[in-house]
Amino acid sequence: MSEKDYLKDISEIKNLMNKSSRFISLSGLSGILAGIYALIGAAIAYWLVMTYSGGTLFIFHGWVFWTCMFVLTMIALLSAVTGIILTTRKAKKTGEKIWDNSSKRLLFNFLVPLAVGGIYCLIILSQGRYGQTGGLMLIFYGLALVSASKYSIGDIQYLGYIQIILGLIASYYPGYGFWLWMIGFGIMHIVYGTWMHFKYDVK
Amino acid sequence: MSIITNINKLFDHRIRLGIMSVLMVNEYADFNMLKELLGATDGNLASHTKALEKAEYILVEKQFIGRKPNTRYSVTKLGKLEFKKHIEALEKLISKT
């Protein structure tokens, strides 16, 4: 065997290791869209609270609170649906399977911390400690990303670390929770999505 | 002479190298998964896995999922070690030339 054959061997090893253990079709565009949804949702919530709750982000009452919750849930759903559609489309283009071992593991490792965090946030909300939820959402979402990153493109873990740091800051300064939430879920998603889009999608 | 001492004859085939690469990063891989990833035929893959099994580089487990027989493979400690040595030898070979 010549040197060239060995080089080819090594690049094939790398390729096989990636293909068999990582799901690489995550779409960058869906990240950008999720960020935009989050910003729109945050703007709606901000407007609601400013107009009907006397301008403080802490005193929620009745329907304002539930409308905010509804908006948040809608954002999460919309982001998930967009993500699934765009990722499926990309996987078809690259000939990758959408539902194989690597994508199952990715989803599982992502959903476990996320579900725990979601339930925890609901408990905190039921106790009326609204100020902590922004930070908690960021922290658990960040942990979910870090845990999923082993089974996808590695870059996703950096987004996770950033969310965790923002979340910790938000827990220390609950008054800025809303703005940090906007930076984390809105702006960071857009930045990350754009980065991914140009790094992997546009070729 | 010395630089090729660690090149493992047993790995000197595309399919075998592929099997090892997949098993290095996955806890298990079953026959169909390997077949799909490597683009090998049944007989081809079977003979290569047999060779690696004989050398005790991989572990073969046969089981039933429902009523379907399923064969899954995992890498042994020895296999991991030998594969690493082989890759290091390849790297050295490439950087030397």
Side-chain angles (χ1 to χ4, degrees):
Chain A
M1 265 216 256
S2 72
E3 173 199 352
K4 232 188 183 163
D5 289 324
Y6 285 129
L7 263 179
K8 225 177 84 196
D9 274 358
I10 290 201
S11 80
E12 193 165 334
I13 289 168
K14 228 176 113 187
N15 184 21
L16 272 170
M17 283 180 167
N18 271 329
K19 220 165 95 184
S20 66
S21 66
R22 285 155 192 273
F23 185 70
I24 39 187
S25 281
L26 284 180
S27 152
L29 213 56
S30 63
I32 301 176
L33 285 171
I36 293 172
Y37 299 155
L39 287 181
I40 294 171
I44 295 173
Y46 188 72
W47 177 79
L48 274 174
V49 170
M50 279 308 174
T51 324
Y52 298 103
S53 257
T56 58
L57 289 167
F58 289 111
I59 305 162
F60 280 110
H61 52 75
W63 69 272
V64 177
F65 171 71
W66 290 112
T67 316
C68 284
M69 284 296 111
F70 176 74
V71 170
L72 280 182
T73 318
M74 281 295 119
I75 294 169
L77 276 179
L78 204 62
S79 303
V81 170
T82 313
I84 292 168
I85 293 173
L86 288 179
T87 302
T88 318
R89 230 180 50 185
K90 195 183 153 195
K92 262 192 199 139
K93 243 190 247 164
T94 53
E96 208 185 339
K97 267 202 184 159
I98 187 83
W99 195 236
D100 59 4
N101 279 336
S102 54
S103 63
K104 267 182 231 170
R105 266 184 310 206
L106 173 71
L107 207 64
F108 181 77
N109 282 277
F110 181 66
L111 286 182
V112 170
L114 202 67
V116 173
I119 294 165
Y120 191 61
C121 280
L122 286 178
I123 294 169
I124 290 286
L125 280 173
S126 73
Q127 295 171 342
R129 291 186 276 170
Y130 305 115
Q132 286 298 322
T133 43
L136 284 173
M137 281 166 84
L138 285 164
I139 291 172
F140 280 106
Y141 179 63
L143 288 173
L145 288 177
V146 172
S147 131
S149 70
K150 281 170 279 173
Y151 305 105
S152 186
I153 324 169
D155 310 50
I156 196 179
Q157 71 173 289
Y158 302 117
L159 181 64
Y161 293 138
I162 291 171
Q163 305 282 14
I164 292 172
I165 292 166
L166 288 173
L168 289 175
I169 298 172
S171 339
Y172 195 75
Y173 301 105
Y176 296 98
F178 175 78
W179 303 106
L180 288 161
W181 192 94
M182 261 180 76
I183 295 173
F185 281 94
I187 294 165
M188 285 329 292
H189 267 150
I190 295 176
V191 171
Y192 170 81
T194 315
W195 168 269
M196 287 295 98
H197 186 68
F198 285 108
K199 191 168 170 194
Y200 296 104
D201 297 0
V202 183
K203 269 187 189 152
Chain B
M1 183 63 211
S2 65
I3 50 165
I4 56 163
T5 41
N6 275 332
I7 292 277
N8 195 324
K9 266 298 230 197
L10 214 65
F11 293 139
D12 228 354
H13 188 283
R14 205 186 64 85
I15 302 281
R16 288 183 198 174
L17 212 56
I19 295 168
M20 292 303 290
S21 325
V22 172
L23 292 180
M24 289 294 281
V25 290
N26 288 283
E27 218 175 318
Y28 293 102
D30 62 21
F31 194 84
N32 286 332
M33 180 182 168
L34 285 176
K35 210 173 94 179
E36 218 167 85
L37 282 166
L38 301 172
T41 60
D42 283 23
N44 200 353
L45 184 56
S47 68
H48 285 303
T49 48
K50 184 127 278 166
L52 289 170
E53 188 194 357
K54 224 178 228 164
E56 290 179 353
Y57 290 176
I58 64 172
L59 213 68
V60 182
E61 275 175 88
K62 286 179 201 257
Q63 52 174 11
F64 279 87
I65 294 180
R67 294 170 84 177
K68 265 198 201 145
N70 175 278
T71 312
R72 63 180 199 180
Y73 304 92
S74 57
V75 69
T76 62
K77 224 176 183 176
L78 177 71
K80 245 179 202 169
L81 200 78
E82 290 297 324
F83 187 72
K84 269 190 194 138
K85 263 202 256 168
H86 181 72
I87 298 298
E88 269 160 29
L90 285 189
E91 274 171 350
K92 256 186 216 149
L93 200 69
I94 289 163
S95 60
K96 273 266 164 70
T97 44

